[in-house]
Amino acid sequence: MNLLNYIVWDPDPILAHLGPLTIRYYSTCWLIGLLLGYLLMQRLYKQQKLGDDKFEPLFLYIFFGILVGARLGHCLFYQPEYFLTQWDHFIEMLIPMHHMPDGSWKLTGYEGLASHGGVFGMFVAIWLYCRNMKVKGWVVLDNMGIVSGIAAMFIRLGNLMNSEIIGKVTDVPWAFIFVREDQYPRHPGQLYEAIAYLIIFLLILFIYKKKGPKSVGTGLYFGLCLTLIFAFRFFIEYTKEIQVAFEAGLPMDMGQILSIPLILLGVWSITSSFKRAKALEEKQEK
């Protein structure tokens, strides 16, 4: 195996230092993804004449819902033996700091966010938003389905810059050697997902442009987003190394297990969207 044939990957995960603050590529990619999602969602709200007073609170609901859900998802799904066994580890789950051996606390940022947890946190945030702002849930879910792919793409690019969630050893010519991990060529699973999520985003956006704003609120776009993203996630897991040791004893890894209910929810949303679309057409004709 000639290692010179592969892509050597060893970027500094830190983008810049601003005094005592450290800006990482990972957090920057998260913010870029959320910003693009915010701007696109704002445009969708205007097209659908939902009003700025309905839109402005949405970003805060979604931001904190995804952040809290992603953090808790990582801690509870992937490292419960660490975060639930000592009081200081439990606190680390809630704040972006690490308890050092000398008893001091160090600001580290949230080291560990799980996409499945972020999705569940988003569901809770949308439920609270719809209840408080009196907006129809299917409208918000469909709009999230249209924009989510672009945010997911940038999150996976952040994982790539962190050299995390690496793939299995392979001899494909586009393999990456993640220097901070080892010297073996591996599948760049993060890049596979980023490219797939971009394609899914463009596909759903194309369908929306063809069908128009009146098609929002049936659950079609929400269902397409869940089904396509998590079906791809399920199969791409076969190219990845396990993230935590206990997954070695499971028939499927945790990412696949958590993807199954989301795929089923997506398929149900698509199949039932046609009934809701018919009901909306009948309502508009009256």
Side-chain angles (χ1 to χ4, degrees):
M1 183 181 292
N2 187 357
L3 298 182
L4 296 178
N5 293 334
Y6 304 111
I7 299 168
V8 178
W9 190 253
D10 188 27
D12 188 339
I14 297 175
L15 174 62
H17 293 279
L18 296 177
L21 297 178
T22 298
I23 300 176
R24 295 176 173 268
Y25 279 104
Y26 182 68
S27 57
T28 303
C29 286
W30 256 81
L31 291 175
I32 292 173
L34 289 174
L35 176 61
L36 291 176
Y38 171 88
L39 295 174
L40 181 55
M41 180 72 83
Q42 186 179 50
R43 185 172 180 179
L44 294 175
Y45 263 57
K46 288 181 179 178
Q47 290 177 353
Q48 297 160 27
K49 298 179 174 59
L50 294 174
D52 290 340
D53 60 318
K54 300 292 185 183
F55 171 73
E56 294 301 336
L58 178 61
F59 179 77
L60 291 178
Y61 278 91
I62 296 299
F63 177 81
F64 287 108
I66 291 177
L67 179 62
V68 172
R71 179 58 178 169
L72 293 179
H74 171 81
C75 298
L76 299 178
F77 295 151
Y78 291 99
Q79 289 186 288
E81 75 288 348
Y82 176 85
F83 288 102
L84 299 181
T85 54
Q86 297 186 44
W87 70 269
D88 54 343
H89 295 172
F90 182 82
I91 294 175
E92 288 177 24
M93 182 169 63
L94 305 175
I95 62 174
M97 301 182 73
H98 180 68
H99 196 202
M100 306 301 291
D102 63 2
S104 64
W105 289 86
K106 180 181 179 182
L107 180 65
T108 58
Y110 287 119
E111 296 180 332
L113 299 170
S115 58
H116 292 90
V119 172
F120 293 124
M122 182 187 74
F123 288 161
V124 174
I126 289 175
W127 175 75
L128 291 171
Y129 167 80
C130 292
R131 188 186 68 171
N132 295 333
M133 300 304 299
K134 311 302 180 187
V135 179
K136 292 181 180 178
W138 282 114
V139 171
V140 181
L141 289 172
D142 265 351
N143 282 325
M144 288 301 302
I146 295 170
V147 308
S148 291
I150 195 68
M153 180 194 76
F154 275 96
I155 290 170
R156 281 297 178 251
L157 290 177
N159 294 136
L160 180 64
M161 297 305 297
N162 263 359
S163 297
E164 60 189 2
I165 316 180
I166 62 173
K168 294 179 179 178
V169 175
T170 181
D171 60 358
V172 297
W174 57 83
F176 278 41
I177 298 175
F178 294 97
V179 174
R180 286 194 289 151
E181 182 67 26
D182 53 35
Q183 295 297 315
Y184 295 104
R186 296 178 176 275
H187 283 290
Q190 322 94 321
L191 189 58
Y192 295 162
E193 286 191 69
I195 294 171
Y197 298 159
L198 175 61
I199 293 171
I200 290 169
F201 163 72
L202 293 175
L203 174 63
I204 295 175
L205 186 62
F206 174 78
I207 295 172
Y208 168 75
K209 287 184 176 295
K210 283 290 185 181
K211 297 177 76 68
K214 291 183 179 180
S215 63
V216 170
T218 65
L220 173 63
Y221 303 109
F222 172 68
L224 284 172
C225 178
L226 284 186
T227 304
L228 293 174
I229 284 181
F230 287 102
F232 183 85
R233 173 71 187 272
F234 182 91
F235 290 107
I236 204 64
E237 290 293 311
Y238 287 112
T239 71
K240 295 181 185 178
E241 288 286 7
I242 60 173
Q243 295 188 53
V244 286
F246 72 81
E247 290 181 309
L250 299 176
M252 295 182 289
D253 67 26
M254 185 59 71
Q256 291 173 312
I257 293 171
L258 295 173
S259 292
I260 291 174
L262 294 173
I263 294 170
L264 294 176
L265 177 60
V267 171
W268 171 81
S269 182
I270 293 171
T271 55
S272 61
S273 70
F274 302 108
K275 183 183 295 185
R276 285 187 288 272
K278 185 177 180 180
L280 282 176
E281 288 177 4
E282 292 175 351
K283 184 177 180 180
Q284 290 168 0
E285 289 174 356
K286 291 179 179 180

